[in-house]
Amino acid sequence: MHQHHDSQQIPAGCPAHGKVPLYGPQFGSDPEATYSHLRSLGPSAAVDIAPDVEVELVTSYDAALYILQNPASFVRDSRRWNALNEGRVPADSPAVPMMGYRPNALFSDGAAHARLRQAVVDSLATVNELQLRRKVQQSAEYLISQFSSEPGGRAELMESYAQPLPLLVFSDLFGCPPELGDRVIVGISGIFQGTPGADEVLGTALAELIALKHRQPGTDLTTRLMQHHAQLTDEEVLHQLVTLLSGGTAPLAAALGTSAALYLSEEAQAALPVEEAVYQTLWNYAPIANYAGHYPTHDVELGGRVLKAGNPVLISFAAANTDPKLTQQREQLSAKAHLAFGAGPHACPAKDPAFMIAVTAVESLLTGLPDLEMRVPFKDLQWAEGPWSRTLVTLPVRFTPRALAPAGPARPVGAQPSAPVPQPAATVVPQTETRAATSQPRGLFSRFRAWLGGE
């Protein structure tokens, strides 16, 4: 393995300082080429995760597993991040909101992490699988009803289906009333879209939700977290909810979109079970592609390179899963041996519900629109250019339009226009004004609940 790399090995178009950029059109169009080059440098290599933000990226499956399962030497608390502490990271860098410290299980270690994680794990364990499947099916049916009757039988599934579906499911799981659910959706969507002020919108909405559950406890995930014997503070509950939303909505949308595209692709030849399409997505198109910042507590040698204490080491789940050294073993490995959900003490606590949501959402789509097909070949689909997520930009499809969008299960409310993830301007209204502003358009969750007949 190479201890260091020389400039001849760096692909064309890289910055003068020689680090490989993990963003931009070249990376986005063919990340595998970048991963392949990085593998030639050893189990890890220096990359720029954003302009002027250097991290060590682990591309080897074995090395990734070693770091994920070695919390004594590699901790998650990003307050140790040398370059950030020394002012060498641009203040407005897109890496800061993704990697900067937040008081949640993701950035905690040891006993503090165990306490927060146990509260999340135990609360998730109370979610009834049949009820969750029903929530997914209802959300799917609602979203399909919004675009399936449009003349021409065409839709863009990322915007109309894959992105909003997890948002509806999570708002429901959290026990949000309609108007609060609308604001939670606007806030979390805005964070992923880089909308200014989205953090505040989400924080305020979740704080109001927690206050509501103090007054009116329910059987929802928010109440379960608040009542857990770990006795989380309201602030800790809020941060765990943000973690669940961040880890559960955008990655789930990515998995859902890619799985549907794989299932519908010519390569699949319609013989692929939906579960297999989801597994292929998790193995070959890991929704969380490069993430999980680790900070060595002391200098660690890995494959001839020294990983310095306090310098960020990120895991490329995407590269690790497609590590050529695994090719021979992939036949013998369990279908679940991929690292798309992480591993070790920080492995995703919701991996089973997440898998079930993705499978149910794709199955519901195919049941609702039996002649659904893609308008472009799989190989021509466009992927997002960022380093964090492997997600389709668009998924254009065609189908036979339904004669009329079906009414909701409980009572008809009339057909609504197509329901993309709402933009902040549409639904952010101060709480005091919400009731009075009757002309204000209702948000995604309000429209869904009205369609269900519940509000």
Side-chain angles (χ1 to χ4, degrees):
M1 292 174 183
H2 302 283
Q3 292 198 21
H4 50 78
H5 50 272
D6 57 60
S7 56
Q8 280 75 44
Q9 293 176 295
I10 301 296
C14 290
H17 52 50
K19 287 189 297 296
V20 178
L22 228 62
Y23 55 89
Q26 187 179 340
F27 172 74
S29 63
D30 189 7
E32 268 306 320
T34 300
Y35 299 145
S36 179
H37 165 68
L38 291 170
R39 288 190 195 105
S40 74
L41 310 176
S44 71
V47 302
D48 273 359
I49 198 84
D52 300 316
V53 182
E54 181 182 338
V55 303
E56 189 79 8
L57 188 74
V58 177
T59 56
S60 149
Y61 182 93
D62 290 342
L65 210 51
Y66 169 73
I67 289 170
L68 290 165
Q69 295 177 336
N70 192 353
S73 295
F74 295 94
V75 297
R76 299 296 292 270
D77 188 337
S78 56
R79 288 174 295 189
R80 292 172 175 260
W81 185 0
N82 292 334
L84 186 67
N85 293 339
E86 293 160 15
R88 292 187 281 119
V89 174
D92 59 349
S93 171
V96 174
M98 295 299 291
M99 293 172 59
Y101 176 79
R102 292 170 193 258
N104 61 31
L106 206 58
F107 294 96
S108 306
D109 302 287
H113 168 253
R115 172 177 166 267
L116 294 173
R117 181 182 172 86
Q118 199 58 52
V120 172
V121 169
D122 292 347
S123 300
L124 283 167
T126 65
V127 175
N128 178 296
E129 189 178 330
L130 288 174
Q131 286 178 341
L132 181 58
R133 193 183 298 275
R134 184 78 191 112
K135 286 182 199 294
V136 176
Q137 290 168 337
Q138 287 177 333
S139 303
E141 178 60 27
Y142 168 69
L143 293 168
I144 292 167
S145 78
Q146 302 311 290
F147 66 77
S148 60
S149 61
E150 300 204 355
R154 290 177 164 230
E156 197 290 280
L157 284 187
M158 291 307 293
E159 183 182 63
S160 299
Y161 190 76
Q163 288 163 358
L165 187 139
L167 295 167
L168 289 176
V169 172
F170 271 79
S171 297
D172 218 332
L173 273 176
F174 285 7
C176 292
E179 186 269 339
L180 266 182
D182 291 342
R183 286 195 285 140
V184 165
I185 287 175
V186 169
I188 193 66
S189 304
I191 285 171
F192 280 105
Q193 293 157 6
T195 309
D199 248 332
E200 286 172 60
V201 172
L202 181 62
T204 305
L206 290 176
E208 287 178 26
L209 177 64
I210 292 164
L212 174 68
K213 297 301 172 183
H214 276 300
R215 299 192 303 271
Q216 301 169 19
T219 55
D220 49 81
L221 210 50
T222 309
T223 304
R224 297 271 191 250
L225 271 173
M226 291 167 64
Q227 293 178 345
H228 191 266
H229 61 75
Q231 296 185 307
L232 272 58
T233 64
D234 285 358
E235 189 191 9
E236 286 174 328
V237 171
L238 189 151
H239 283 289
Q240 304 330 298
L241 292 175
V242 172
T243 308
L244 284 164
L245 274 175
S246 306
T249 54
L252 205 44
L256 210 167
T258 307
S259 300
L262 274 176
Y263 184 91
L264 295 169
S265 66
E266 314 84 69
E267 293 92 329
Q269 296 158 348
L272 200 64
V274 171
E275 284 93 345
E276 182 58 28
V278 177
Y279 274 128
Q280 282 194 21
T281 294
L282 296 172
W283 271 106
N284 300 325
Y285 306 92
I288 299 176
N290 304 285
Y291 197 48
H294 288 74
Y295 299 83
T297 54
H298 53 92
D299 291 1
V300 179
E301 189 176 333
L302 183 73
R305 282 177 73 80
V306 175
L307 310 182
K308 291 280 191 186
N311 283 355
V313 179
L314 265 61
I315 306 294
S316 179
F317 300 108
N321 277 349
T322 55
D323 185 342
K325 289 181 183 169
L326 274 187
T327 312
Q328 299 82 9
Q329 302 168 40
R330 280 271 288 260
E331 300 302 316
Q332 285 79 46
L333 282 173
S334 152
K336 296 181 178 180
H338 59 79
L339 295 181
F341 291 126
H346 282 270
C348 173
K351 54 177 181 281
D352 292 337
F355 185 83
M356 190 268 280
I357 291 170
V359 170
T360 306
V362 176
E363 286 175 346
S364 300
L365 181 66
L366 300 168
T367 304
L369 300 168
D371 64 350
L372 185 72
E373 56 184 32
M374 288 200 292
R375 301 207 304 263
V376 295
F378 185 85
K379 64 180 174 54
D380 294 337
L381 291 170
Q382 186 188 348
W383 299 87
E385 294 176 2
W388 315 106
S389 183
R390 181 74 164 144
T391 184
L392 289 168
V393 176
T394 57
L395 179 51
V397 294
R398 70 169 78 88
F399 48 85
T400 303
R402 289 180 173 181
L404 183 67
R411 69 180 163 85
V413 190
Q416 304 282 349
S418 162
V421 176
Q423 295 303 307
T427 45
V428 181
V429 189
Q431 193 189 24
T432 50
E433 297 172 28
T434 308
R435 304 288 174 263
T438 48
S439 61
Q440 183 70 23
R442 287 185 304 178
L444 174 62
F445 194 58
S446 289
R447 298 196 303 270
F448 169 58
R449 290 295 292 270
W451 178 86
L452 275 177
E455 305 301 329

